[in-house]
Structure formats: C-alpha cells, structure tokens
Amino acid sequence: MRLADDTSLQLAEALIERASVTPADAGCQALLQSRLEAMGFDCHDLSQGEVSNLLAVRGDAGPCLLFVGHTDVVPPGPAEHWQSPPFAPTRRDGRLYGRGAADMKSSIAAFITACERLTAAAPPDHLRVALLLTSDEEGPAMDGVRAVAPILHDYLGDIDWCLVGEPSSEARLGDTIRIGRRGSLSAEVTIDGRQGHVAYPAHADNPLHRLAGLLNALVAERWDEGTAAFPPTGFQITGVDTDTDAVNIIPGRAQARFNLRFSPASTAAGLQRRIKAIAAAHAPDAAFVWKHSADPFGGDAGELRAAVEAVIHEQLALTPVANTAGGTSDGRFIAPLGAEVVELGPVNATIHQPDENVALADIPALSDLYEAIIRRLGSLHPPG
C-alpha cells in the first residue's frame, strides 16, 4: 500500500524502474538532478564516454560531506528466476523487490530525501554537502569515480568526510558499517610446456604439473597477520585453464587466475615480489599479467564514524559493528584525497541475486539516519 508521504520509497521505485545496467544510467541521474537543483544544488555533468557522472554541490563554506553512490546495476539474469520483473519495482510482504533495491538505489533515494527535508527546514549552511553519482561502479570502474576523483578538488576543495551508500548492513539496518576496504590484486599466470600423448610423457612436458605445485605453495602461504582493523590478506584461485581439453593429450600451456584481497600490512608491489619468488622455486618459466585495482584504505576512527555510530545508536538502539569486510567500493578513490570514508546502507543479503529486495521500512529509516548524520556533522563545526 502506497502512502502519500512515502517520498523515499517512491523515489527508490522510480530509480529501480530505470534499467540502468552498467554503463547505462537510463535517466536516473537526470531525475535526481531535477530534484537536486530544486534544492539549490549546483550540478555538474562530468560524464566520460558512455559513463554518466553527476556531481552536485550545495554550500560554499565550511567542511565538506560528500555522498558517493552509483546508479548502475548488475544484469538481472534470466527473467524466469525472478518472482516479479526485475525492473518493475514490486512491494510484496513488506519488502521492495527489484534490481538495485539494495545495491544501491534505495540509498541514493534516502540521501536525496534527507537533503530535501533539511533544505525545507533549516539546513546547516556552514556545511557543504555534495553528491557524486556514477554509472560505472559495477563494471570496469574506469570512467566513473576513478576518473572524476583527480578533478574533485576543482569543484569541492578539500573533502572532509565521504559517506558511501553501499549496502553495508548484514542482518538488520545499521548493524554493520564499513570503515575501510581491503586492497585487490589479481593475476593471470601462464606456464608453457610441450604438448604430447598421455601414454608417452617422456616426449612431452606437462605445464599443469608445475602450475599445480605453484598454486599449492601460494595457497599455503601466510601473507600477513592483518592489522587491528583489517583481517589477514587472503588468496583465492579463481580459474584454471589449458590449451586442450582432450583426456589423452598433455597440454602445451596451462594458465591460472587468482586474486588477493590484502590488508595494509602488505602492499601490491611486495605481494608481487613474493609471488614471483615462490614461482621461481616451482615454475621458473611462469609469466604473470597483473591487475592492481585497489589499495586498502580506512580503518581509523574520526568524526564521521563517531557521528554514524551515535546516530545509529540513538535511532535504532544498535551499536554497529565497524569492519573492513566485503569487496571494493568507490570509496577507494576518495580516501586518497584525505577524506574519512564510512559506508552505510541497507541489508546486503540479496545483492546481485534474483529477487533482490530491501525492507520497505528500511528506506525511510535510512533517510532519517542520513539526515541526522548531516545535522550532527554540521553541529561539530558551527559558523564563526
């Protein structure tokens, strides 16, 4: 049942019905821009190629809070796996269903409506509030926040705090916040041998045998012990291939893919050196192609984390767990600019799945949290 004052829910539904699969924005940002401009935000189109990027800024004095979000979503997959169409927002059994409901159109809607209430009342004019939205978070993440971050200072000056609307909650709204993320280092390793018949191994050279030894050694390695805020670096094999799939042929080439999610106790360069040293003992002819997509960030408590924790405790009677779990987020591009980054959003149990959903009550509740966080940050630095 739709309530007349369900502005946060209605906006979330309007965003969900736009099929904004990466890199398409499908009109989400145009809809949001119209509402932002009505509140007095200055909007800047920072789009790159096929990627839509919108920066909106309100206020020209005081510390700066930047909200970061993405309007793109992952593909919905086969329609028959959904109980209701993925881009037809559906209220059912106290929940809102649709692709992007949790990741992360409800968060964006909640922040917009929080700003609308603030603007209609008495906004903290000594606080600069900004939003950065992209349609390239779920994809390559090359032309979105990564591309915009180097020029943000031209529009915002210093950024004090960054609130990311990623779905951080685990079992109920507000039970978990992210205070940082691990780094990500991926690689493809290739080992060449000599193809031959399995019955005549002396005439061949099986590269899979060397690859197996290398992978076993990498799996067994203890990379670091983590830090107070970060778990130890983890290693995962994500694929193994050869240049043949016949059961009676020794392959001539073997490849594997792996990823490390690493803590601040390690660096991407240091991990590469260690992996190459291990490879020298097991497969000296191994060749690597590396992709270093993120460095770890965050972990330290600051004003934003204190404000988020206090508001959650006051409004939800919860003490949130603060951790650095999960994958990467666009916060990794803002943290190097000197901002404190915290992620707060809805429950993540159904993200990237069929029938993605969020509790109806959580969307206006999240909007209330965002409003209270903005007010609390504004009270920390009164004018004058």
Side-chain angles (χ1 to χ4, degrees):
M1 179 177 179
R2 184 181 295 276
L3 303 177
D5 59 348
D6 255 358
T7 54
S8 299
L9 282 167
Q10 292 172 23
L11 181 53
E13 289 171 329
L15 294 173
I16 291 169
E17 68 186 7
R18 288 161 168 78
S20 54
V21 176
T22 314
D25 171 70
C28 291
Q29 291 178 25
L31 169 64
L32 297 168
Q33 180 172 340
S34 66
R35 296 179 71 142
L36 289 161
E37 289 177 338
M39 290 185 273
F41 280 80
D42 294 324
C43 293
H44 308 275
D45 182 358
L46 304 180
S47 298
Q48 303 266 341
E50 295 182 304
V51 174
S52 299
N53 298 313
L54 175 66
L55 175 66
V57 189
R58 190 183 190 280
D60 54 12
C64 179
L65 167 66
L66 173 66
F67 178 87
V68 171
H70 61 88
T71 52
D72 61 319
V73 297
V74 296
E80 60 269 23
H81 292 173
W82 290 72
Q83 294 185 57
S84 51
F87 297 111
T90 303
R91 299 188 187 193
R92 185 172 66 247
D93 302 324
R95 310 192 72 81
L96 175 61
Y97 289 81
R99 176 58 85 223
D103 189 14
M104 55 174 285
K105 291 182 174 180
S106 292
S107 297
I108 295 172
F111 196 84
I112 294 290
T113 55
C115 290
E116 287 175 337
R117 291 193 304 277
L118 283 165
T119 303
D125 289 330
H126 53 284
L127 178 70
R128 292 176 293 137
V129 178
L131 288 85
L132 176 58
L133 304 174
T134 183
S135 67
D136 183 33
E137 196 274 345
E138 299 289 8
M142 295 300 297
D143 292 329
V145 177
R146 181 194 297 268
V148 171
I151 61 172
L152 280 180
H153 191 272
D154 297 339
Y155 297 91
L156 300 177
D158 293 335
I159 303 169
D160 297 272
W161 314 292
C162 176
L163 185 60
V164 184
E166 289 291 345
S168 63
S169 303
E170 296 291 340
R172 56 177 294 195
L173 178 66
D175 65 359
T176 306
I177 60 174
R178 307 282 187 229
I179 56 171
R181 296 277 187 153
R182 295 170 294 174
S184 179
L185 175 66
S186 300
E188 181 177 80
V189 56
T190 300
I191 300 176
D192 287 322
R194 187 170 66 254
Q195 184 175 307
H197 196 292
V198 295
Y200 302 95
H203 299 160
D205 174 19
N206 194 332
L208 266 177
H209 293 176
R210 293 194 299 283
L211 179 61
L214 170 59
L215 293 178
N216 282 333
L218 295 176
V219 168
E221 185 75 4
R222 182 72 172 181
W223 302 99
D224 58 47
E225 300 304 319
T227 69
F230 287 81
T233 293
F235 174 92
Q236 289 294 320
I237 301 167
T238 58
V240 177
D241 301 299
T242 67
D243 59 353
T244 179
D245 58 1
V247 297
N248 60 348
I249 298 178
I250 293 171
R253 169 170 288 187
Q255 293 179 312
R257 297 176 299 279
F258 57 82
N259 175 268
L260 297 100
R261 294 302 167 106
F262 62 97
S263 80
S266 294
T267 66
L271 290 169
Q272 290 181 43
R273 287 193 296 270
R274 290 175 63 182
I275 291 169
K276 289 178 181 177
I278 294 171
H282 294 271
D285 57 337
F288 293 89
V289 176
W290 302 95
K291 182 179 180 182
H292 173 205
S293 57
D295 281 317
F297 69 87
D300 296 329
E303 291 178 330
L304 177 58
R305 176 177 169 184
V308 170
E309 291 177 336
V311 166
I312 290 174
H313 182 72
E314 290 171 0
Q315 298 205 7
L316 302 178
L318 289 174
T319 300
V321 173
N323 66 33
T324 57
T328 59
S329 81
D330 278 339
R332 69 190 188 272
F333 305 123
I334 306 301
L337 304 180
E340 180 191 3
V341 179
V342 174
E343 301 178 26
L344 169 62
V347 174
N348 57 34
T350 63
I351 62 174
H352 295 206
Q353 298 178 20
D355 290 328
E356 178 182 350
N357 67 84
V358 63
L360 291 173
D362 284 357
I363 302 177
L366 182 59
S367 184
D368 290 341
L369 290 176
Y370 287 156
E371 179 185 1
I373 290 167
I374 297 172
R375 290 192 181 279
R376 183 173 288 268
L377 290 173
S379 71
L380 296 177
H381 301 273

